[in-house]
């Protein structure tokens, strides 16, 4: 298996804090789609090399036909219903990554992030992934294991959900006791 530490990218459908059931396998998994700018040729080359190494390790030099490629083009891919992906995918490649074990998650200084709402879809960071090849019931290809993630920068949320403070026009203020008549 070949590990890659990516450059800076963006997280979409980020699910790192609690597992969700994979409808196909029935297993609980931690998942995300990781968007890589097409200009990050170093990360793209490292992912391709890891994919090739995983395939060679599994199949030698005789690869099965119609391999599934996990590195997808955000400019040409569509959703399952045929509609276009969101604008955030344009100009990016993306990979789907998953793990049955919770990934380690840290901030830019290496401090653990514990609260799910502190690191969400739309944020920017890096991932540690491991490529592995598979050949299961007629499907063959490469997938990426979700090892760890690092939050580098907050981004605009991709969830479409606004905060209560934003909805009600409440300005965010400090919470020192002089401003709060109830103390604390």
């Amino acid at each position: 298996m070949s590990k890659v530490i990516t450059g800076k990218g963006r997280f979409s459908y980020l699910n790192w804090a609690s597992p969700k059931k994979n409808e196909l396998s029935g297993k609980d998994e931690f998942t995300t789609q990781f968007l890589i700018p097409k200009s990050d040729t170093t990360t793209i080359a490292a992912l391709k090399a890891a994919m090739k190494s995983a395939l060679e390790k599994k199949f030698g030099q005789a690869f099965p036909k119609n391999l599934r490629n996990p590195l997808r083009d955000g400019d040409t891919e569509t959703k399952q219903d045929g509609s276009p992906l969101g604008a955030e995918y344009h100009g990016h490649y993306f990979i789907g990554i998953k793990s049955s074990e919770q990934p380690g998650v840290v901030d830019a200084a290496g401090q653990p992030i514990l609260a799910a709402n502190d690191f969400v879809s739309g944020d920017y960071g890096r991932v540690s992934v491991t490529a592995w090849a598979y050949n299961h019931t007629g499907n063959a290809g490469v997938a990426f294991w979700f090892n760890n993630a690092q939050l580098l920068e907050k981004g605009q949320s991709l969830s479409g959900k606004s905060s209560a403070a934003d909805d009600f026009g409440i300005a965010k203020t400090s919470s020192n006791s002089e401003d709060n008549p109830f103390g604390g």
Side-chain angles (χ1 to χ4, degrees), residues 51-129:
M51 291 164 41
K52 183 177 181 192
S53 175
L55 287 168
E56 289 173 346
K57 207 174 269 188
K58 174 93 174 159
F59 302 110
Q61 295 300 317
F63 300 164
K65 293 181 181 186
N66 300 322
L67 288 171
R68 293 183 181 217
N69 183 353
L71 187 61
R72 298 162 56 192
D73 188 332
D75 291 322
T76 59
E77 287 280 332
T78 59
K79 295 179 184 175
Q80 287 182 341
D81 67 3
S83 64
L85 297 174
E88 64 274 6
Y89 283 80
H90 295 285
H92 294 81
Y93 288 109
F94 67 99
I95 56 174
I97 56 179
K98 64 182 177 180
S99 175
S100 57
E101 300 172 13
Q102 186 172 22
V105 179
V106 296
D107 63 17
Q111 297 301 309
I113 296 175
L114 303 175
N117 60 350
D118 288 342
F119 186 21
V120 298
S121 293
D123 289 343
Y124 295 86
R126 303 184 316 157
V127 291
S128 164
V129 297

Side-chain angles (χ1 to χ4, degrees), residues 16-184:
W16 67 269
S18 60
K20 290 188 179 175
K21 187 161 302 289
N22 178 322
E23 297 300 321
L24 296 175
S25 70
K27 296 178 182 176
D28 287 338
E29 296 175 339
F30 299 89
T31 60
T32 191
Q33 286 186 354
F34 188 68
L35 287 61
I36 306 136
K38 288 184 175 181
S39 61
D40 185 354
T41 56
T42 302
T43 293
I44 300 302
L47 291 170
K48 287 180 177 181
M51 291 164 41
K52 183 177 181 192
S53 175
L55 287 168
E56 289 173 346
K57 207 174 269 188
K58 174 93 174 159
F59 302 110
Q61 295 300 317
F63 300 164
K65 293 181 181 186
N66 300 322
L67 288 171
R68 293 183 181 217
N69 183 353
L71 187 61
R72 298 162 56 192
D73 188 332
D75 291 322
T76 59
E77 287 280 332
T78 59
K79 295 179 184 175
Q80 287 182 341
D81 67 3
S83 64
L85 297 174
E88 64 274 6
Y89 283 80
H90 295 285
H92 294 81
Y93 288 109
F94 67 99
I95 56 174
I97 56 179
K98 64 182 177 180
S99 175
S100 57
E101 300 172 13
Q102 186 172 22
V105 179
V106 296
D107 63 17
Q111 297 301 309
I113 296 175
L114 303 175
N117 60 350
D118 288 342
F119 186 21
V120 298
S121 293
D123 289 343
Y124 295 86
R126 303 184 316 157
V127 291
S128 164
V129 297
T130 303
W132 54 278
Y134 61 89
N135 189 3
H136 183 67
T137 62
N139 292 316
V142 178
F144 286 103
W145 186 260
F146 190 1
N147 298 321
N148 298 298
Q150 181 183 32
L151 170 64
L152 296 176
E153 175 185 334
K154 295 299 288 174
Q156 183 177 357
S157 174
L158 298 178
S159 72
K161 182 170 177 9
S162 59
S163 73
D166 290 341
D167 281 355
F168 300 115
I170 300 168
K172 295 177 182 158
T173 62
S174 66
S175 61
N176 69 36
S177 58
E178 293 174 17
D179 295 335
N180 185 345
F182 301 108

